[in-house]
């Protein structure tokens, strides 16, 4: 399947996600049908490298896909993001051991094979790794893991014990002995992501499954993917306003449309710079992505304000868009953190 063929199926998938988004949000249930639809359309493996038989979609195509999915159901978009970024990183630098990645590809041919990135919470105990007889033993708990019940593989950031190094990342199959998924948080938004806690009880990880540390490009792509999802939520809110905002001044509709268009141009331009390996593109993406996400949130807030009391009713999707946009923006660094990063390492 070509890139164009897969992307041609995207509108139908987005419509399916949007039709079920409210139901999944109310139930906080994992969106199995939506993830299946992504897989069947070939969109979940769009970034698999050409050397593995994929089309090798770049960053620009990935953020376009995630923004569209964010307009349908951002929870599904975020579940897909880690998997898409994993395949893209493997095509770029082969971080996974060959046997493990071959297994992931085989799983992906049979059905959706999701990869989740478990990042240690700031200040939390998280997961520790100690030396075992056959590699490493992972013990601890990682909270608020999206879609934990359905992850085929997890990349787990752990604190190392009895070594000079502080942290390392390990590759763990989701069905490994000692891995237990437990009820998670009742959170404000992104409830269809079925956020759960993952408990590790002496889970074995081979030396070969200790991965290289994420690169600045990895972090830049992660932030940009999240920003794309948030901007997609803004697009969904704008679409609702355009269909239902009767009686509003054309200038208000135009203000929303222009704010979205400016943010989309910025997002696409940064993604294109990453694809072209422009000097400083990683840092620009990492620093500007939170601002793009903030624009997506601002668009939703403006649309809710323009819609009046209707925008806060669960009869329409705007209040869900607002909760989701707030939740997605919180996944990226605060403005003061980004300003510190930019001031400490100028281009």
């Amino acid at each position: 399947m070509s890139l164009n063929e897969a992307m041609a199926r995207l509108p139908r998938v987005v419509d399916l996600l949007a039709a079920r988004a409210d139901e999944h949000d109310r139930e906080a249930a994992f969106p199995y049908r939506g993830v299946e639809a992504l897989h069947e359309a070939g969109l979940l493996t769009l970034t698999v490298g050409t050397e593995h038989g994929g089309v090798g979609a770049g960053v620009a195509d990935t953020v376009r896909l995630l923004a569209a999915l964010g307009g349908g159901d951002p929870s599904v978009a975020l579940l897909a993001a880690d998997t898409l970024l994993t395949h893209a990183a493997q095509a770029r630098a082969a971080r996974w051991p060959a046997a493990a990645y071959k297994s992931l590809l085989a799983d992906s041919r049979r059905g959706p094979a999701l990869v989740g990135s478990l990042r240690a919470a700031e200040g939390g105990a998280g997961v520790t790794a100690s030396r075992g007889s056959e590699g490493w033993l992972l013990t601890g708990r990682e909270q608020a893991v999206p879609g934990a019940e359905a992850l085929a593989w997890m990349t787990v950031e752990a604190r190392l014990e009895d070594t000079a190094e502080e942290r390392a990342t390990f590759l763990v199959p989701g069905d490994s002995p000692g891995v237990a998924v437990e009820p998670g948080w009742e959170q404000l938004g992104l409830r269809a992501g079925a956020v759960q806690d993952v408990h590790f009880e002496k889970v074995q990880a081979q030396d070969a499954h200790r991965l290289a540390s994420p690169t600045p490009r990895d972090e830049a792509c992660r932030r940009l993917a999240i920003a794309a999802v948030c901007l997609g939520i803004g697009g969904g809110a704008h679409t609702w306003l355009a269909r239902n905002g009767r009686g509003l001044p054309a200038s208000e509709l135009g203000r929303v449309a222009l704010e979205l268009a400016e943010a989309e141009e910025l997002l696409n331009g940064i993604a294109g710079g990453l694809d072209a390996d422009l000097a400083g593109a990683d840092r620009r993406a990492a620093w500007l992505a939170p601002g793009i996400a903030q624009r997506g949130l601002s668009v939703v807030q403006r649309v809710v304000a323009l819609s009046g009391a209707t925008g806060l009713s669960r009869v329409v999707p705007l209040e869900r868009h607002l909760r989701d946009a707030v939740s997605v923006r919180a996944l990226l660094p605060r403005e003061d953190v980004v300003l510190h990063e930019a001031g400490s390492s100028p281009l």
Side-chain angles (χ1 to χ4, degrees):
M1 183 188 306
S2 71
L3 175 63
N4 289 338
E5 288 172 332
M7 293 299 279
R9 300 177 181 183
L10 179 57
R12 180 184 63 81
V13 173
V14 171
D15 288 345
L16 185 150
L17 298 183
R20 303 291 298 276
D22 184 65
E23 173 189 346
H24 288 308
D25 175 75
R26 289 176 184 271
E27 298 177 357
F30 186 86
Y32 282 100
R33 184 67 193 96
V35 175
E36 282 279 358
L38 273 179
H39 164 70
E40 292 167 2
L43 296 170
L44 199 55
T45 51
L46 203 65
T47 53
V48 171
T50 54
E51 67 273 26
H52 297 293
V55 299
V59 183
D61 291 316
T62 302
V63 298
R64 182 159 62 100
L65 167 61
L66 292 173
L69 295 177
D73 189 337
S75 294
V76 177
L78 286 172
L79 289 169
D82 268 346
T83 304
L84 290 164
L85 294 177
T86 293
H87 288 301
Q90 185 70 11
R92 195 167 59 245
R95 293 183 62 205
W96 284 35
Y101 191 65
K102 183 178 179 180
S103 176
L104 174 62
L105 292 176
D107 290 344
S108 298
R109 286 189 285 271
R110 289 189 291 267
L114 294 175
V115 180
S117 176
L118 280 61
R119 297 160 58 91
E122 190 69 31
V127 179
T128 60
S130 58
R131 271 292 184 184
S133 58
E134 299 181 6
W136 298 85
L137 294 176
L138 307 185
T139 301
R141 179 192 301 270
E142 200 58 66
Q143 295 180 315
V145 178
E149 67 187 69
L151 296 179
W153 292 83
M154 295 177 282
T155 59
V156 184
E157 185 181 6
R159 180 170 53 83
L160 300 181
E161 293 186 337
D162 303 323
T163 72
E165 299 172 273
E166 291 188 1
R167 293 191 174 276
T169 301
F170 296 91
L171 182 61
V172 178
D175 60 357
S176 295
V179 173
V181 175
E182 302 170 351
W185 294 7
E186 286 287 333
Q187 59 183 37
L188 175 71
L190 302 174
R191 288 171 49 79
V195 173
Q196 296 157 321
D197 294 348
V198 182
H199 183 73
F200 297 85
E201 182 60 40
K202 294 184 178 179
V203 176
Q204 290 193 358
Q206 305 169 26
D207 273 313
H209 284 188
R210 179 177 172 179
L211 304 181
S213 299
T215 66
R217 183 185 175 93
D218 292 331
E219 175 63 11
C221 290
R222 185 190 74 86
R223 291 189 187 184
L224 210 60
I226 294 171
V229 174
C230 202
L231 200 58
I233 302 172
H238 173 249
T239 297
W240 185 92
L241 185 68
R243 293 172 179 170
N244 299 280
R246 299 179 186 86
L248 285 174
S251 59
E252 291 294 348
L253 295 173
R255 187 191 306 273
V256 174
L258 282 178
E259 189 168 359
L260 265 178
E262 289 175 356
E264 287 170 355
E265 286 296 316
L266 181 58
L267 175 69
N268 294 331
I270 295 169
L274 284 169
D275 281 333
D277 289 323
L278 297 182
D282 292 351
R283 282 178 287 174
R284 287 191 181 92
W287 298 340
L288 295 176
I292 294 172
Q294 184 63 47
R295 288 197 186 193
L297 172 57
S298 297
V299 165
V300 179
Q301 291 171 327
R302 183 179 296 279
V303 171
V304 171
L306 289 172
S307 65
T310 300
L312 297 177
S313 169
R314 298 207 71 173
V315 175
V316 300
L318 291 185
E319 67 88 32
R320 172 168 51 81
H321 289 329
L322 180 58
R323 288 187 287 107
D324 285 343
V326 169
S327 300
V328 174
R329 175 61 187 89
L331 298 175
L332 291 171
R334 302 186 313 271
E335 182 183 27
D336 62 308
V337 174
V338 176
L339 291 175
H340 178 77
E341 290 177 354
S344 301
S345 179
L347 289 171

